[in-house]
Amino acid sequence: MKFKYLLAIACFAMAFSACDEGTDNIGMSLTSSNDDIMVSTQEFNVLTQSYLPDSVYTYNNELYLGRITDPETNTTVASSFMMQFNMMEETHLYEEASTITSRDAEGKIVADSCVIFLYFDKTKTIGDTTTAMKLRISELDHPVADGIHYSSFDPVKAGYIRENGLSLSQVFAYQDMTYTDSARNESSFEPHLSIRLNAPYTDKNGVSYNNYGTYILRNYYEHPEYFRNSYAFIHQMCPGFYVECTDGEGLMSYFTTAMFCVYYSYKDTDDNEEYTSFLVTASTNEVLQTITVKNNKAALKSLAEANNAYTYLKTPAGIFTEVTLPVDEIKSTHPNDSLISVSVDFPRYNNVEPVTKYTFSAPKKVMLIQKDSANVFFEKNRNYDNKYAFYSVLAKNAYSFTGSNDINNLIIKMYNDRNEGLKRDPNWVEKHPDWNKALLIPVSDYSITSTSSSTSTPIALVNEMGVTTTRLKRGTPEDPIKLRVIYAKFNK
């Protein structure tokens, strides 16, 4: 019977916490003569400070390339990436080797062209779209080892770049002026970067080809077993490429797709006409992609410590906000009451608009998670569960955890973890100083969309790797952030 009452009270309290924007009722008791249940509310103080992660776990789907100056630190943020290509099981060409008409003077098969296409996402690309940038693409010597890779991982320093392997430089911009204005204005036009691998190429066995595509095409017909799946292709043919910016500043590009195409000509045996075809593969999350982020940690630290009125959220791999929750106070103030709701808002200050060609937006989505659990959460590609990981979208200039995403379960978990730890070790708290701390972390989500309702549901949260920044109100002993708690108990 009590369970039914508490369930009803919980539903009422969730509605109460979601709708009540004031604090007029703090400390009051809401009683009912019918069910003998008392509901009360109370506020507690939350302290926050800026937290600088050394690096963050990078997920396969994020490809950022560019260099851009952060106006708050006046230092450069740079992103580069490593990509592999996914060869579908039993990939095959429809054309027999004898029908290929692309041949050299000795009659050997050659590729007409070999191109890597990188497709821009305008919504996550920031900066001056006409800025000329310079990239370098380098062939890997061997596949990057499977495992967990963070934003500090640098394939160059780790010795993955092939000595005397394929390496070329190229100037690019978001607006590719090699296309006419009318072509770029077509609704079907997708902004992209084309990297042409058409220079002479020598493989690790000392065999020379007129371009990288010819190396791929000849091996396809000579060693089809190298193309039977992604593992064979990556380990026998193409370990991957590392792409980095070597010059230019003012553009950070986000690419949704990377495609690898080898073009060739063949003669159709039915009509005896010559056609052009291609072998295509893509960089997907079934194979490995990594992002390398370079930013000035000393400048970030100085910014975080410069003003006690703010904490920061800054990506990629910049600054998080650490939250100290008053777990003991919440539980000890009402030791015999049930926690029904625990809600908190993190108010945001508008960004200072510097005089630059571009501005950084605030993170749209954040996650609040128990500090000690953050790394494992991302490494396991998990989704928020409202138990120890909570999700919020920026609204009304704040990140709010209330109603259906309140942090009641987090308070209970922290309290129980501490009590269980003390049973095993009286020095547990000293050994776990972060037991009551959480991190507010900017995230991106990967979602599935319902065909019936057109609503999107996040299925995994990943670290935000785009360039974003915002200031939050800092919770200090003199001016804390307020956390609101709703309790319930039975009258005796």
Side-chain angles (χ1 to χ4, degrees):
M1 192 67 172
K2 287 186 177 182
F3 174 76
K4 292 181 179 179
Y5 280 131
L6 285 176
L7 183 61
I9 289 296
C11 294
F12 163 76
M14 287 177 64
F16 176 83
S17 64
C19 298
D20 182 20
E21 297 181 354
T23 58
D24 295 340
N25 294 325
I26 296 299
M28 293 180 59
S29 295
L30 308 175
T31 61
S32 169
S33 58
N34 296 326
D35 53 27
D36 291 328
I37 293 178
M38 176 177 287
V39 175
S40 60
T41 64
Q42 190 165 341
E43 282 190 343
F44 296 90
N45 297 337
V46 172
L47 306 182
T48 61
Q49 63 179 4
S50 291
Y51 172 83
L52 276 70
D54 174 64
S55 57
V56 298
Y57 177 70
T58 60
Y59 188 64
N60 275 357
N61 283 18
E62 303 284 323
L63 294 179
Y64 281 93
L65 177 68
R67 303 198 321 184
I68 200 162
T69 298
D70 180 352
E72 289 181 306
T73 63
N74 200 32
T75 60
T76 300
V77 181
S79 290
S80 53
F81 61 86
M82 184 284 300
M83 58 182 172
Q84 296 174 342
F85 290 96
N86 181 23
M87 185 62 63
M88 301 297 289
E89 295 285 339
E90 303 300 334
T91 293
H92 64 279
L93 300 180
Y94 293 103
E95 296 75 37
E96 297 292 337
S98 61
T99 67
I100 303 298
T101 57
S102 299
R103 304 274 175 169
D104 62 12
E106 298 177 358
K108 294 181 179 179
I109 291 175
V110 296
D112 296 334
S113 180
C114 181
V115 186
I116 293 176
F117 295 101
L118 298 171
Y119 290 89
F120 292 98
D121 182 345
K122 185 176 182 179
T123 63
K124 290 188 176 182
T125 295
I126 66 170
D128 185 348
T129 58
T130 63
T131 296
M133 308 289 288
K134 189 175 183 179
L135 65 79
R136 179 169 59 232
I137 182 170
S138 304
E139 177 190 10
L140 299 189
D141 178 77
H142 52 283
V144 171
D146 291 335
I148 295 168
H149 298 283
Y150 277 69
S151 57
S152 57
F153 171 69
D154 186 336
V156 177
K157 292 181 179 179
Y160 280 99
I161 305 303
R162 180 188 162 197
E163 187 176 357
N164 299 321
L166 183 152
S167 180
L168 62 87
S169 296
Q170 178 175 320
V171 175
F172 75 97
Y174 175 83
Q175 290 192 27
D176 189 344
M177 296 304 179
T178 61
Y179 291 91
T180 63
D181 289 343
S182 59
R184 284 188 280 110
N185 291 329
E186 288 287 339
S187 59
S188 60
F189 181 79
E190 296 183 70
H192 62 275
L193 164 62
S194 302
I195 304 175
R196 302 184 182 278
L197 309 182
N198 291 332
Y201 173 74
T202 301
D203 68 15
K204 296 173 74 172
N205 296 320
V207 181
S208 296
Y209 305 87
N210 68 317
N211 62 41
Y212 192 81
T214 298
Y215 159 72
I216 296 292
L217 203 56
R218 286 186 188 171
N219 274 277
Y220 174 83
Y221 288 110
E222 294 170 6
H223 298 283
E225 69 275 13
Y226 294 170
F227 294 78
R228 68 178 182 270
N229 54 37
S230 294
Y231 183 88
F233 183 71
I234 291 168
H235 285 79
Q236 299 293 340
M237 288 299 303
C238 179
F241 298 95
Y242 180 58
V243 186
E244 58 185 324
C245 265
T246 57
D247 199 5
E249 189 278 335
L251 180 69
M252 184 63 72
S253 304
Y254 173 66
F255 300 105
T256 57
T257 307
M259 298 186 67
F260 178 87
C261 296
V262 179
Y263 295 90
Y264 59 91
S265 300
Y266 73 97
K267 182 170 288 188
D268 191 290
T269 55
D270 292 330
D271 60 16
N272 208 36
E273 294 290 331
E274 189 171 74
Y275 297 94
T276 298
S277 188
F278 55 89
L279 172 67
V280 61
T281 182
S283 184
T284 67
N285 59 5
E286 284 80 18
V287 292
L288 184 61
Q289 299 169 173
T290 66
I291 300 178
T292 303
V293 176
K294 296 180 181 178
N295 47 27
N296 191 314
K297 293 296 184 182
L300 290 171
K301 186 174 186 294
S302 296
L303 177 67
E305 296 174 349
N307 195 320
N308 290 330
Y310 312 130
T311 64
Y312 287 86
L313 297 177
K314 187 177 284 290
T315 65
I319 307 177
F320 301 157
T321 289
E322 181 183 278
V323 181
T324 300
L325 295 166
V327 178
D328 273 338
E329 294 176 67
I330 292 171
K331 296 294 289 184
S332 63
T333 304
H334 294 255
N336 299 316
D337 294 0
S338 297
L339 283 181
I340 300 301
S341 172
V342 180
S343 57
V344 62
D345 301 323
F346 297 96
R348 169 185 171 264
Y349 293 97
N350 290 333
N351 290 355
V352 177
E353 299 294 345
V355 181
T356 64
K357 296 180 181 179
Y358 45 82
T359 57
F360 295 170
S361 62
K364 293 181 176 62
K365 303 164 185 176
V366 299
M367 178 179 67
L368 185 69
I369 186 169
Q370 194 168 6
K371 185 178 179 180
D372 290 340
S373 303
N375 287 346
V376 172
F377 177 92
F378 291 113
E379 290 169 6
K380 299 295 184 182
N381 293 325
R382 290 175 175 166
N383 195 11
Y384 70 97
D385 57 6
N386 286 346
K387 292 182 180 178
Y388 70 101
F390 304 80
Y391 178 70
S392 179
V393 177
L394 180 63
K396 297 182 180 180
N397 227 25
Y399 301 100
S400 299
F401 297 86
T402 186
S404 61
N405 69 328
D406 76 19
I407 62 171
N408 179 20
N409 288 327
L410 180 60
I411 298 298
I412 294 172
K413 183 180 186 302
M414 287 178 168
Y415 182 76
N416 291 339
D417 286 349
R418 195 276 309 270
N419 287 349
E420 291 299 317
L422 289 175
K423 291 178 183 178
R424 300 188 302 270
D425 182 356
N427 298 316
W428 187 88
V429 172
E430 288 75 17
K431 295 177 181 178
H432 298 81
D434 294 332
W435 73 273
N436 63 341
K437 291 179 172 58
L439 291 177
L440 199 62
I441 302 175
V443 294
S444 293
D445 63 57
Y446 291 95
S447 305
I448 56 174
T449 302
S450 169
T451 55
S452 59
S453 63
S454 298
T455 57
S456 295
T457 303
I459 58 174
L461 298 183
V462 299
N463 282 293
E464 173 61 65
M465 300 306 297
V467 181
T468 68
T469 187
T470 196
R471 301 172 298 158
L472 304 180
K473 168 185 164 60
R474 182 177 182 181
T476 64
E478 298 74 25
D479 186 19
I481 290 172
K482 293 299 182 179
L483 177 145
R484 303 172 298 280
V485 180
I486 299 177
Y487 299 94
K489 70 176 181 179
F490 290 93
N491 285 323
K492 295 183 179 179

